[in-house]
Amino acid sequence: MNRPELSLQQLHAFAVLSEELHFGRAAERLGIAQPPLSQQIRRLEAKVGHPLFTRGPGAVALTAAGRQLLPAARRALDEVAAGLDTARRAGSGEAGLIRIGFAASLALTVLPGLLRAYRDRYPLVGMEIREMTTAPQVTALHEHAIDVGLLREPPDEPGLAAEAILAEEFIAVLPAAHALAARRVVPVEALADEPFVLLPRGAGPMFHDRILGLCHAAGFEPRLGQQAVEWQTVCALVEAGLGVSLAPASIRRIRLNGVAYRRISPNDARTTVAVAWRRDDPNPLVARFLEAARRELPR
């Protein structure tokens, strides 16, 4: 079906005149003189091919054609008004869809509060949440598969920007029956002879290397054993007695009866959590999300 080229101004004039049924009052309501109103109605009638109003001395009434057009004209005007409102909200970052990648461990700390605060502030924004380790998040940002990422140890990547939002200390993850679990604080060097259960380096190279750096600083090369891409699995493998691990402090929220979490010594190392985004991304949703992160999260 061919779409007629109808002026919104003409439809608006037609809708107002159909309510007032008086050219003078309709013109006053529209803020125009009566002759321009009459011209707009005549142009619209020319496009319809039939009169829309009967005009008599002191009386204006809708014709059959006018009665049929009126509901469609009102719907069109309402839809355009709604579309303009949605467009304005989208342009200001108050509506639309934002795609967020996040590291699984952040579900234990900052993620729930941040998403809740963002949703409360921008209820018309839909959120698509994807659980991803750091390296896949970086790839997804480059490929425009996500808009922002919440990740650990963000790499210095061309085209991406990152802002630190949290620094976590490291802890030792031990089988509950391990001799070192009897200590309140575990020296890192005491783990020298233990097999380590870690996330694979490909999941987050900088984070993986930071853990290795803790071991190197303690004077040993860690013996790498089992690997897992989720911290829940890492802890389960530790519980099974397959090794020990060094992990962000938030991992202690994973409650397993056979796992003990202990502070380490020295305790000056931190793992950085950051929000990352495409540096040249003009999407206002990203800017609003960054504002929410800066406002809600501790530094």
Side-chain angles (χ1 to χ4, degrees):
M1 183 177 69
N2 293 329
R3 294 185 177 182
E5 295 182 3
L6 296 179
S7 163
L8 288 176
Q9 188 177 30
Q10 293 170 6
L11 288 179
H12 187 206
F14 165 69
V16 171
L17 182 56
S18 69
E19 294 170 5
E20 297 292 342
L21 295 178
H22 188 281
F23 274 88
R25 290 196 300 270
E28 183 178 0
R29 182 171 155 188
L30 290 166
I32 61 175
Q34 187 170 326
L37 171 60
S38 299
Q39 293 172 7
Q40 290 177 21
I41 297 301
R42 281 197 296 270
R43 292 192 186 103
L44 182 58
E45 288 175 328
K47 290 177 181 176
V48 173
H50 299 280
L52 299 173
F53 297 94
T54 59
R55 301 162 175 81
V60 177
L62 283 165
T63 63
R67 288 192 296 272
Q68 289 297 315
L69 180 61
L70 182 58
R74 285 174 171 162
R75 284 196 302 272
L77 292 169
D78 289 344
E79 288 179 6
V80 169
L84 285 172
D85 182 65
T86 300
R88 291 189 184 105
R89 290 180 180 275
S92 62
E94 297 177 4
L97 174 68
I98 188 168
R99 300 162 301 169
I100 304 167
F102 75 98
S105 61
L106 300 186
L108 304 171
T109 54
V110 300
L111 184 70
L114 173 56
L115 296 185
R116 182 170 54 251
Y118 182 70
R119 181 199 59 199
D120 290 346
R121 193 171 185 87
Y122 302 108
L124 297 181
V125 176
M127 291 185 286
E128 185 178 290
I129 313 299
R130 303 182 187 180
E131 184 178 321
M132 313 167 77
T133 54
T134 293
Q137 283 193 57
V138 170
T139 299
L141 283 167
H142 281 304
E143 295 179 350
H144 292 248
I146 61 174
D147 301 305
V148 294
L150 292 164
L151 42 77
R152 290 189 181 276
E153 307 301 333
D156 186 9
E157 282 279 318
L160 299 186
E163 184 173 319
I165 56 176
L166 179 67
E168 280 191 83
E169 66 181 18
F170 284 91
I171 58 172
V173 184
L174 308 167
H178 197 287
L180 290 173
R183 302 190 183 189
R184 294 183 61 185
V185 178
V186 174
V188 175
E189 61 266 23
L191 303 175
D193 296 328
E194 304 290 340
F196 273 72
V197 182
L198 296 177
L199 273 63
R201 189 175 189 277
M206 293 184 66
F207 178 72
H208 187 273
D209 291 349
R210 184 172 287 273
I211 291 178
L212 298 189
L214 287 173
C215 299
H216 295 159
F220 70 94
E221 183 70 31
R223 181 157 54 95
L224 302 183
Q226 299 294 323
Q227 294 185 333
V229 296
E230 303 295 344
W231 283 110
Q232 181 82 27
T233 307
V234 168
C235 293
L237 295 177
V238 170
E239 183 182 33
L242 299 182
V244 301
S245 190
L246 290 170
S250 58
I251 300 306
R252 62 166 58 101
R253 295 192 179 186
I254 299 175
R255 302 295 185 183
L256 294 175
N257 291 332
V259 174
Y261 304 105
R262 297 291 183 265
R263 298 189 70 189
I264 61 172
S265 174
N267 191 33
D268 53 353
R270 296 292 182 269
T271 171
T272 300
V273 175
V275 57
W277 67 97
R278 287 180 294 278
R279 192 178 298 276
D280 59 352
D281 193 342
N283 188 346
L285 294 173
V286 172
R288 296 294 173 266
F289 188 85
L290 293 175
E291 290 173 3
R294 292 164 182 152
R295 182 172 54 249
E296 297 298 329
L297 298 180
R299 298 301 180 94

